[in-house]
Amino acid sequence: MTGIVFAGGEIGAFVPADSDCVESVTSGRFDSARSRCAIRVYNISSYAESRAFASNLTTMFFHADWGIENADASEQTSVAFYDSGGTEVFRINRSGGTPATIKPYYWNGSSWVATGSTFTVSAPQLMTIDLKVVPASGWELYINGTLRDSASVVMSAFSNLSKVRLKGTYIGYNFWSQVIVSGTSTVGLRLVTDAISGAGNSNNWTSGTYADVDEQAYNDTDGLASATNNQVFLCAGSSPSLDGFTVRGVIVTARVRQGTLLNYQHAVRSNGANYFTASQAVSAGYGAFVGIWETDPDTTATWTGAAALAAQFGGKSIT
Amino acid sequence: MTDLTVTKVVAYIAEGPAPSDLAVTKVVKYIVIDTGSIGDPGSVPPARRRVRVTARAAYVPT
């Protein structure tokens, strides 16, 4: 069964479409105990686009914290999902006014179809949503852990989901954080940001330090640069509180651009050994890259909280 | 109007990070935690069982 295929809550897991998509620290619009910011999207033409999921999902669970700033002027799409062919096939719309109506739609090959019984949410507010989509049988939408809407319907125009876009609004903002996508249930999961707090065990990249890649609001004016194959950098984390909950995975995201070297691997260091993901091809412009370890590579068993917190993280340049 | 004429000249300098190096500008680590199975459709909490306790007392002559 497919597990976690994507996670992140900042640029690095997502690529911003334009300057209307930024990282924001507006209070009350993200879970500040577990995140350091939200991705704020303004303007219906703007969006944050995820890295393609690690595998295409025939059963998709999407989890996120969704902060709503204002009543909107009219109905607009707040989050959109794409299949492996690049077609938008499922979306959640929010109507104008407050309370607003939340309406999921699916693509039937020629038009958008609304199903389910709509429900309302007021603004402003912060809510946790979990969306289950199974093209072969229907969908379920959970708000703050409770099933609020669903439909049994065969969505034959698509067979999988492979990417998500977090979208903006006419008025005010949508704030998105703590995004997790999995083939198994995400209800009850949370994404805890373990931001860089210092240097890790090593850094032999050509130039740059951990301080060049640790920012909350992304900027490309500084960074780590590699001119030689197989250079590794590692960073230490900030050891946030996990509140004793079970760890379901460690995720590393990076905003990377190619040079003479064309590939990148994420790294974690557990119990004194370095582990790397498979190489991911890097493009000429900055892109989003996500590495996922659902189990501790040192033990191949479920992460303990102590091991997850102690794991240093970084990346390796590849020819 | 027989002379070649230039009416405007501008110089530009293209700048940016060295294109020959692979570059990383932001790195974040996340930990996925499971707070329990509240509302989890795949893990319905066990129903409370109603346990009937019956007792039969018997008089045992001593």
Side-chain angles (χ1 to χ4, degrees):
Chain A
M1 185 172 289
T2 305
I4 297 168
V5 297
F6 174 84
E10 301 180 16
I11 303 305
F14 294 88
V15 175
D18 53 37
S19 59
D20 283 332
C21 178
V22 299
E23 288 140 323
S24 166
V25 294
T26 301
S27 64
R29 300 294 174 268
F30 65 100
D31 177 1
S32 59
R34 297 189 172 113
S35 310
R36 59 177 178 172
C37 62
I39 295 176
R40 189 189 77 188
V41 191
Y42 170 70
N43 199 328
I44 57 169
S45 62
S46 185
Y47 56 84
E49 180 168 285
S50 76
R51 170 79 183 177
F53 304 157
S55 59
N56 301 326
L57 295 177
T58 53
T59 294
M60 181 200 74
F61 283 88
F62 168 83
H63 170 99
D65 271 9
W66 181 6
I68 299 172
E69 180 82 355
N70 297 102
D72 212 342
S74 59
E75 182 174 325
Q76 44 79 29
T77 298
S78 291
V79 57
F81 299 88
Y82 293 74
D83 69 3
S84 56
T87 301
E88 183 180 350
V89 292
F90 200 94
R91 56 171 55 162
I92 297 176
N93 285 13
R94 178 163 66 101
S95 71
T98 183
T101 301
I102 300 296
K103 295 166 61 175
Y105 289 79
Y106 74 90
W107 181 247
N108 72 0
S110 58
S111 62
W112 288 99
V113 180
T115 53
S117 55
T118 58
F119 64 97
T120 59
V121 296
S122 58
Q125 72 158 294
L126 174 64
M127 57 187 179
T128 298
I129 70 168
D130 291 273
L131 172 68
K132 178 184 182 182
V133 179
V134 183
S137 62
W139 55 266
E140 299 171 349
L141 182 59
Y142 297 77
I143 302 295
N144 297 330
T146 300
L147 181 62
R148 295 291 302 273
D149 200 4
S150 64
S152 297
V153 58
V154 176
M155 297 173 277
S156 56
F158 62 101
S159 60
N160 63 64
L161 297 126
S162 67
K163 185 176 72 176
V164 60
R165 282 183 179 176
L166 311 175
K167 306 196 75 172
T169 58
Y170 283 111
I171 299 173
Y173 306 105
N174 276 332
F175 294 83
W176 296 99
S177 57
Q178 290 203 28
V179 177
I180 306 167
V181 181
S182 177
T184 57
S185 177
T186 54
V187 181
L189 301 188
R190 297 291 184 272
L191 190 67
V192 180
T193 302
D194 187 5
I196 293 172
S197 65
N201 184 65
S202 64
N203 172 19
N204 61 6
W205 276 45
T206 305
S207 66
T209 72
Y210 74 90
D212 296 318
V213 293
D214 67 344
E215 65 265 25
Q216 169 259 309
Y218 83 98
N219 76 74
D220 297 333
T221 58
D222 59 10
L224 285 152
S226 175
T228 304
N229 190 29
N230 285 327
Q231 291 182 318
V232 176
F233 75 90
L234 292 167
C235 308
S238 53
S239 294
S241 171
L242 302 181
D243 296 319
F245 291 123
T246 302
V247 173
R248 294 279 297 272
V250 170
I251 317 295
V252 181
T253 68
R255 181 168 165 82
V256 190
R257 182 213 67 187
Q258 70 177 213
T260 304
L261 304 173
L262 302 176
N263 291 277
Y264 182 78
Q265 296 180 353
H266 298 277
V268 294
R269 181 176 178 83
S270 181
N271 194 27
N274 295 345
Y275 300 90
F276 303 96
T277 61
S279 293
Q280 297 179 351
V282 181
S283 60
Y286 285 105
F289 295 87
V290 177
I292 300 167
W293 285 267
E294 290 190 276
T295 55
D296 184 343
D298 176 53
T299 63
T300 68
T302 301
W303 287 95
T304 65
L309 290 171
Q312 295 182 356
F313 55 99
K316 180 162 74 170
S317 61
I318 300 291
T319 302
Chain B
M1 294 298 293
T2 57
D3 295 341
L4 184 147
T5 305
V6 179
T7 62
K8 181 173 180 177
V9 176
V10 181
Y12 299 93
I13 299 172
E15 64 173 0
S20 59
D21 291 344
L22 185 144
V24 181
T25 60
K26 177 169 177 169
V27 176
V28 183
K29 171 188 170 190
Y30 303 92
I31 300 172
V32 180
I33 59 172
D34 191 341
T35 64
S37 56
I38 302 168
D40 185 338
S43 178
V44 177
R48 290 182 186 167
R49 287 189 207 162
R50 183 171 294 169
V51 179
R52 182 184 297 172
V53 178
T54 59
R56 176 181 289 177
Y59 173 71
V60 179
T62 56

